[in-house]
């Protein structure tokens, strides 16, 4: 599977999809509305099957490219920071609600999701979904690995001066949990926040297969089960775990 990351605006997403040559294109956290927008998150929130989902489904059908994108989701009077995965035929495959909320920006406007591991099958690979701050919790990434996730898709809105997360932590997560990670950041500004870009696709070996800079960019890399199997044979973190020792540890 060729995976592409669109580090750019929502308006530019259709042209990026057309140019990607990819099987899956991943866009940033809250790309449809902006992230640091306060009460407008509630004003602009939509159901998972709302008008934006319909537009994204049409884009997937017309291009033959699967899509993952961040948006504010409304459901029963509650609003969540969510990511939706759309198949290449336009079908809605999975929807994940951010479980670890970052500071007042998230906590003032969003409810936390209650489901840690959300997955879907796409082109023979098991795709898992997280959002931004979630990936900074190793327990959550490991839960994905143990549940069979092979490619972890992470739309994000990482701001300066936290480039360390994109440059060091994300490759470490891929290596320690032995899965591919596609990390899709913003590269614009909102109020006092400057998003740092640095989107990447990382192999389970920890190798960065593709890396964006600080501006609008489209990056891509090949993700294969063969490479995953080879890495897990060489780097046996999952096989060497000792769950019997961990049960008594505080959580």
């Amino acid at each position: 599977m060729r995976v592409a990351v669109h580090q750019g605006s929502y308006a530019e997403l259709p042209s990026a999809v057309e140019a990607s040559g990819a099987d899956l294109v991943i866009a940033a956290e809250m790309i449809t509305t902006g992230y640091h927008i306060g009460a407008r998150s509630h004003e602009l929130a939509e159901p998972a099957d709302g008008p934006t989902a319909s537009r994204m489904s049409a884009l997937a059908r017309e291009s033959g490219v699967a899509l993952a994108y961040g948006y504010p989701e409304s459901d029963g009077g509650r609003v969540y920071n969510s990511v939706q995965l759309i198949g290449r035929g336009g079908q809605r495959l999975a929807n994940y609600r951010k479980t670890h909320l970052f500071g007042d920006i998230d906590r003032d406007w969003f409810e936390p999701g209650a489901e840690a591991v959300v997955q879907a099958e796409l082109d023979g690979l098991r795709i898992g979904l997280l959002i931004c701050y979630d990936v900074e919790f190793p327990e959550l990434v490991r839960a994905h690995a143990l549940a069979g996730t092979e490619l972890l898709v992470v739309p994000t809105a990482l701001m300066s001066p936290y480039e360390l997360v994109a440059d060091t932590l994300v490759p470490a997560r891929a290596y320690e949990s032995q899965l591919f990670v596609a990390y899709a950041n913003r590269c614009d500004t909102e109020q006092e926040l400057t998003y740092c870009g640095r989107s990447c696709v990382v192999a389970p070996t920890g190798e960065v297969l593709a890396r964006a800079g600080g501006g609008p960019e489209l990056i891509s890399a090949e993700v294969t089960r063969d490479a995953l199997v080879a890495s897990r044979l060489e780097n046996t973190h999952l096989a060497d775990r000792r769950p019997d020792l961990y049960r008594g540890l505080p959580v």
Side-chain angles (χ1 to χ4, degrees):
M1 177 191 293
R2 177 153 288 273
V3 176
V5 173
H6 169 57
Q7 185 174 281
S9 71
Y10 183 42
E12 296 166 332
L13 180 59
S15 59
V17 169
E18 184 178 351
S20 69
D23 302 297
L24 168 65
V25 171
I26 304 160
E29 179 179 12
M30 297 277 286
I31 190 173
T32 63
T33 59
Y35 170 59
H36 189 24
I37 58 174
R40 295 191 67 229
S41 302
H42 283 228
E43 296 167 13
L44 298 172
E46 297 180 8
D49 61 353
T52 296
S54 295
R55 289 192 293 273
M56 299 297 270
S57 293
L59 176 58
R61 281 194 306 273
E62 292 163 5
S63 64
V65 177
L67 302 170
Y69 65 96
Y71 73 107
E73 178 194 357
S74 62
D75 182 20
R78 295 171 180 258
V79 176
Y80 301 89
N81 182 339
S82 297
V83 55
Q84 185 144 226
L85 178 66
I86 305 289
R88 60 173 73 246
Q91 67 276 36
R92 295 169 47 241
L93 298 179
N95 189 75
Y96 169 77
R97 297 165 173 174
K98 191 176 186 178
T99 54
H100 294 71
L101 301 184
F102 178 77
D104 294 341
I105 296 175
D106 272 335
R107 295 190 192 111
D108 284 352
W109 304 110
F110 301 110
E111 297 287 335
E115 192 172 2
V117 176
V118 172
Q119 301 169 312
E121 297 292 324
L122 180 66
D123 292 358
L125 284 179
R126 186 169 294 184
I127 310 297
L129 302 173
L130 291 180
I131 299 174
C132 197
Y133 194 40
D134 289 328
V135 82
E136 299 183 38
F137 293 82
E139 303 92 340
L140 197 53
V141 179
R142 179 56 55 83
H144 266 278
L146 296 177
T149 292
E150 296 167 306
L151 168 62
L152 188 61
V153 168
V154 189
T156 190
L158 180 71
M159 67 286 293
S160 294
Y162 301 112
E163 287 86 350
L164 172 74
V165 174
D167 292 349
T168 302
L169 188 146
V170 170
R173 290 288 174 271
Y175 179 71
E176 70 191 6
S177 282
Q178 286 297 293
L179 38 65
F180 287 94
V181 179
Y183 187 76
N185 198 17
R186 308 175 67 96
C187 61
D188 52 348
T189 60
E190 290 177 325
Q191 300 186 60
E192 77 280 10
L193 300 183
T194 298
Y195 302 109
C196 62
R198 309 293 298 158
S199 297
C200 55
V201 181
V202 185
T205 59
E207 178 187 0
V208 177
L209 303 176
R211 167 77 73 186
E217 197 167 344
L218 180 67
I219 61 171
S220 66
E222 288 289 334
V223 171
T224 69
R225 177 170 287 124
D226 286 347
L228 180 65
V229 169
S231 181
R232 289 183 175 179
L233 288 173
E234 178 70 22
N235 306 303
T236 56
H237 299 91
L238 298 180
D240 293 341
R241 293 173 66 253
R242 291 283 310 277
D244 55 309
L245 296 180
Y246 313 148
R247 292 192 185 99
L249 298 178
V251 295

